[in-house]
Each structure stands twice: as structure tokens, then as C-alpha cells.
Amino acid sequence: MTSLKTYFNDSQPLNDYIEQMSENKEDLLTIYKSFSLPEDDDRLTKIKSLNYSKVLVITEDWCGDAMMNLPILKNIAEQLNLEVRVFHRDDDTNLIDQYLTNGTARSIPIFVFLNDDYQQETVWGPRARQAQKFVDESRAHLPSKDDPTFEEQSNEVHAIISNRYKTDSQLWKAVYDSIIEQLLHK
């Protein structure tokens, strides 16, 4: 089995990944520039004393959750001086298969927080609880997949979710809080 160190070293630095994105790049950068870390969050000081030094991100650039979550992580990583590298989920599913959501889904993004020795300290993803609640509520009234209107209605719901991800600063704050709490209470 390939080690986390190998995956990390074979992955792209976050800024290189963002630069080469073909989908969601502009929205990701807009969120990054629009979101600011709280100035007086003592939790950041506590996290700086913990054993985190790297983040291995498992994602794909078409992912709407990544579009919202990666810019929040980028802000956090810059504040905490964490090296972030991005692994494309579909390049080698052996990695994502170690982090299945609900034991079955290859949901992304997944943030694997590592120490100096490339050992996993904690994992976050693919969504903050509040984002998951919003997605679940948005999808609650979709017809069954065999319904002839499913695809059209599903696309409409996806557009609603994507728009909120791009504009809702409260949701961004929920993502921030979720990541920070995971780092504190691994």
C-alpha cells in the first residue's frame, strides 16, 4: 500500500492546483478573497502548538464542495503555516477508498492533516454539518431517479446549492468552524 508520504510528495502544491483548474477556479478564488479568518480566534493559537504541518487534500476541480471548502482551508493553512498538497481523487482510487464517506461513497474533498513524519493526525470532509443539512434539505423533495423529471429537477437543486456555496458567508464560517473544531478535537 502506498504511504501517505508518497501520496503527499506526488501531489500538487495547492497554488499550482488552483492555477491549473479548469472548473470552479474563479468561484474558488472569489471565496478565498472574500473570506477572512476571525481576528480574535484563540483556537488558532492552540492549533499552532499541535502537531500539524501538512494537509493532503483529495479532490477534483469539478467538485462544488471543494469550490467552497478549499478556499477556507487555504486561509487556515496560511495562518497556521501548513503545507497543502492536492491529490486528484480519480488518479488512484486506493487513496480515497481509505476515506469513504459512510463506508461507501468516494465523496470529496477530504482533508488529511499530517504531522512532520507524514502520519495522519486527523481527517476532515467532505462537508461541514451545516452544509450537509442544507444539501439534504435541498435534495429532500427530488423525485426518484427513475422519474422522467429527476435529471431536470436534480440540475435545478444543484444550481441552488452551488449558488449558496458561492455566496453564503455564514456557510463559509460554518466550514471554518468545522475544520477548526476537528483540528482541536481530533
Side-chain angles (χ1 to χ4, degrees):
M1 179 182 279
T2 306
S3 71
L4 288 174
K5 179 178 182 178
T6 300
Y7 280 117
F8 186 86
N9 289 330
D10 289 346
S11 297
Q12 288 179 290
L14 179 58
N15 289 335
D16 293 353
Y17 170 80
I18 293 169
E19 185 59 35
Q20 64 80 43
M21 287 178 72
S22 61
E23 299 180 51
N24 291 320
K25 178 179 179 178
E26 300 312 316
D27 293 322
L28 183 150
L29 289 171
T30 298
I31 294 168
Y32 170 71
K33 292 171 187 167
S34 300
F35 178 77
S36 298
L37 298 181
E39 291 182 24
D40 58 349
D41 192 342
D42 293 337
R43 298 175 300 174
L44 291 170
T45 304
K46 291 177 188 171
I47 292 168
K48 284 181 182 181
S49 69
L50 300 176
N51 202 20
Y52 301 110
S53 64
K54 300 164 186 46
V55 186
L56 177 58
V57 173
I58 308 166
T59 195
E60 292 287 344
D61 75 351
W62 48 258
C63 176
D65 287 293
M67 171 195 67
M68 179 177 64
N69 296 334
L70 270 173
I72 309 303
L73 174 68
K74 182 171 169 44
N75 275 287
I76 292 168
E78 289 169 355
Q79 179 69 32
L80 298 176
N81 198 29
L82 302 175
E83 181 181 2
V84 182
R85 291 185 167 246
V86 178
F87 184 83
H88 295 261
R89 178 194 71 177
D90 298 338
D91 286 353
D92 177 354
T93 55
N94 290 319
L95 179 59
I96 191 65
D97 287 349
Q98 297 173 50
Y99 300 99
L100 297 175
T101 301
N102 299 324
T104 59
R106 291 178 173 158
S107 302
I108 50 177
I110 298 293
F111 302 159
V112 183
F113 291 87
L114 307 170
N115 62 28
D116 286 335
D117 296 323
Y118 300 90
Q119 295 169 327
Q120 176 182 307
E121 292 289 330
T122 195
V123 177
W124 184 92
R127 290 188 183 115
R129 187 177 326 110
Q130 293 89 332
Q132 185 64 53
K133 181 177 185 233
F134 164 65
V135 169
D136 290 344
E137 289 170 354
S138 298
R139 291 180 176 163
H141 301 292
L142 283 174
S144 65
K145 289 185 179 183
D146 59 356
D147 185 299
T149 66
F150 174 80
E151 186 173 344
E152 179 184 340
Q153 289 187 46
S154 181
N155 289 339
E156 289 172 8
V157 167
H158 175 55
I160 291 167
I161 293 169
S162 180
N163 186 55
R164 180 141 178 222
Y165 279 6
K166 294 174 192 177
T167 60
D168 188 342
S169 62
Q170 290 303 108
L171 205 51
W172 303 344
K173 173 83 165 71
V175 170
Y176 167 78
D177 285 333
S178 178
I179 293 170
I180 294 300
E181 287 302 310
Q182 184 64 34
L183 292 173
L184 284 172
H185 303 99
K186 52 184 174 175

